[in-house]
Amino acid sequence: MNLSTGRARGSATPVIRSVWSPTPRSLRGWALAAVAVNVLITVTGAAVRVTGSGLGCPTWPQCTPDSFVPAVHDEISPVNMAIEFGNRLLTFLVLVVGVACLLAAMRLLPRRRDLVRLAWLQPIGVAVQGLWGGLVVHSALNPVTVSMHFLFSVGMTAAAYALYARSGEGDAPVRLLVHRHIRALGAALIGAVAVLLVAGVVVTGTGPHSGDEMASRFSFDIETVARIHADVAYVVVGLTFALVFALYVTDAPERARRAALVLLGVELAQGVVGYVQYFLGVPAALVNLHVLGSTLVWVCTLRAAFALRTRDPREIPAEPTDPAEARDPVRA
């Protein structure tokens, strides 16, 4: 065995161990990687759309009618084909990380069924996304199918973040770190951000960046849906400000206050990007930045909500030391 081969094996060993002999910390690392790759493929999917590469690979699962990889096609730009195919390849990265999460959750000792269930959502989600991607292509980028493609990624990101948060906790019942009304405010904030994301995909499906000249658009008035989207954003920012205020006046844990404050900052930055892109005529680069911002708002919202509660390790009943207690369960 030469030196380079030995180094490669040595560097791969900790990665393999983190999956095959996992600890809660290594599982948490894989879950964070799942959050990252789901955000990445969401943003690159938006890049496919704003560059007009949505049908760069005009068939599915093949890229062209006679090839699984990009091939010369008279009617398609090689650049558009490469962009679309590159996004498809990222699916395998998401799958690899998702399978790693599942294996680590299943081999973690003691095994926790809640973590295994959450981990299963990653490979299942990739399979659903892959099949749905075929529907997107065969529907010629119908805005309904494209919108659902984005929302599926949002759901997978939420599942990955839940796995990340839960793998750092115990498996006892939920213990609130704040007043229950503040916890309810956090739940309302998650719902409002979800509505904001749905409103955002409606604006996207109505706007100019369809992904291809053949793609259809929603028939809504763009000014109306953009205003609705902005109104929901105001509600989200208002709820976030209320959460920040409530956490500070009640002297909530520092982690919760910091998470809410970061969320507010990300939302304000996202609002600036949204207004700038609107007044500049929706340039492609800012649209992609806005999509990145939307995923960061979603992740930061989940982070703020999970910071409002925790779970302690489940207590294992001590074994009786008195032989009489061991024989008499009523007395024990």
Side-chain angles (χ1 to χ4, degrees), residues 199-249:
V201 297
V202 173
V203 175
T204 298
T206 308
H209 298 288
S210 62
D212 191 89
E213 294 178 356
M214 295 175 55
S216 59
R217 302 274 77 197
F218 287 131
S219 59
F220 305 121
D221 176 65
I222 185 62
E223 294 285 344
T224 301
V225 293
R227 286 197 184 100
I228 293 173
H229 181 56
D231 289 342
V232 178
Y234 290 141
V235 172
V236 168
V237 172
L239 288 173
T240 305
F241 181 80
L243 179 62
V244 171
F245 181 78
L247 291 174
Y248 273 87
V249 299

Side-chain angles (χ1 to χ4, degrees), residues 142-209:
N142 182 283
V144 174
T145 62
V146 174
S147 298
M148 290 303 301
H149 210 29
F150 173 83
L151 294 176
F152 284 149
S153 289
V154 167
M156 289 182 64
T157 302
Y161 191 87
L163 179 62
Y164 169 76
R166 290 294 306 276
S167 58
E169 302 174 337
D171 57 350
V174 170
R175 176 170 62 86
L176 295 185
L177 301 175
V178 297
H179 192 278
R180 59 187 179 87
H181 290 161
I182 299 179
R183 173 77 189 283
L185 179 59
L189 180 58
I190 291 178
V193 173
V195 172
L196 179 64
L197 293 173
V198 172
V201 297
V202 173
V203 175
T204 298
T206 308
H209 298 288

Side-chain angles (χ1 to χ4, degrees), residues 60-92:
W60 187 95
Q62 295 171 297
C63 182
T64 61
D66 55 356
S67 175
F68 280 94
V69 298
V72 176
H73 197 288
D74 295 337
E75 300 178 359
I76 301 174
S77 163
V79 174
N80 292 143
M81 188 176 292
I83 292 173
E84 164 62 5
F85 187 72
N87 188 62
R88 291 189 182 190
L89 287 180
L90 277 178
T91 302
F92 293 99

